[in-house]
Amino acid sequence: MSDISPSLPILLTAVLLASAFVAVAASDAQDRTDRNPIYWEVHDEDRPQPPRVNPGPAPAEPSPVPSDAIVLFDGSDLAEWAAQDGSPAPWILEDDLLKVDPGTGDIQTREGFGDVQLRVEWRVPEDIEGEGQGRGNSGVFLMGLYEVQVLESHDSQTYPDGQAAAIYGQYPPLVNAMRPPGEWQTYDIHFQRPRFDESGELARPAKMTVFHNGVLVQDGVELTGPVGHYQRPRYEAHEARLPLRLQDHGDHVQFRQIWVRDLEQ
Ligand code: MG
């Protein structure tokens, strides 16, 4: 007994510390589990709808462009854009706006990009019609593969991983920071491309941080792979630079400012 009793308080302390550590780890794991796309089916209707945040009114004019940004659209022309077959971009330039011409197909940048900071200002018309995925649907595809969803999500609801500012099929936004139809929306995106090793295996997944109307909605999330409709495709090794693509989903969506900072120059 005499050589056991002195160690008992130490043992009890160790047990208490260990259980406290486990409790903390469990609560962290719970948080992570909730946000982990693998925990949910793709487009799971049971996934919680993000709480709403009013971001305040849209600025009348686009914000100033940083001096090292590449301007992809500023109202003047579509020189930086092409159809996917390389022919001139078939969308509409009108009233200093870039407008989706439904049914003409996606457009993409002539130049390829990897890691970027990206600003996109977009809106849906005030008289927008339709519901769910058929209401102001477009999309910003980093590298043509990784989509930040564009959708009218102020007056309409859809599966949370497919609403505005979702990483489609993977991550709903942390909050719904939409302005009403007819008002300008901004996306500020920091994208880090995936890295592949020499054998083509994934070395590091793509990572994304997104602000919607100045509100943090994606906080450095790791993408499970390219986006898909009712699927989560696995990564396949690809080039370090690929065009940025805007989606024609058959809906009327407009853009007034798009610029990119190339973080790998
Ligand atoms: Mg879309």
Side-chain angles (χ1 to χ4, degrees), residues 35 39 42 44 57 59 66 71 78 84 89 113 115 123 125 129 133 138 144 161 173 186 190 193 231 250:
R35 286 293 296 160
Y39 182 78
V42 62
D44 199 328
V71 176
L78 302 185
Q84 287 191 279
F113 300 99
D115 294 355
R123 72 177 177 188
E129 293 179 350
Q133 292 293 306
S138 180
D161 68 11
T186 63
H190 176 211
R193 65 180 170 86
Q231 55 174 322

Side-chain angles (χ1 to χ4, degrees), residues 133 137-139 141 147-150 168 247 249:
Q133 292 293 306
N137 195 334
S138 180
F141 282 74
E147 183 188 18
V148 180
Q149 173 72 308
V150 166
Y168 191 73
Q247 185 184 42
H249 200 279

Side-chain angles (χ1 to χ4, degrees), residues 69-87:
I70 298 164
V71 176
L72 297 174
F73 182 72
D74 66 359
S76 51
D77 62 60
L78 302 185
E80 298 288 337
W81 298 89
Q84 287 191 279
D85 65 3
S87 61

Side-chain angles (χ1 to χ4, degrees), residues 88-158:
W91 291 9
I92 299 162
L93 178 61
E94 190 177 62
D95 306 326
D96 297 333
L97 304 177
L98 169 58
K99 301 181 177 180
V100 178
D101 189 4
T104 59
D106 296 357
I107 64 170
Q108 64 186 27
T109 53
R110 294 192 178 276
E111 199 176 330
F113 300 99
D115 294 355
V116 292
Q117 177 185 345
L118 176 68
R119 157 67 64 89
V120 178
E121 292 207 24
W122 62 276
R123 72 177 177 188
V124 299
E126 203 173 347
D127 59 354
I128 182 86
E129 293 179 350
E131 285 299 319
Q133 292 293 306
R135 185 177 166 89
N137 195 334
S138 180
V140 178
F141 282 74
L142 285 301
M143 307 193 88
L145 295 168
Y146 309 104
E147 183 188 18
V148 180
Q149 173 72 308
V150 166
L151 193 76
E152 201 301 281
S153 296
H154 187 273
D155 298 340
S156 177
Q157 200 163 293
T158 185

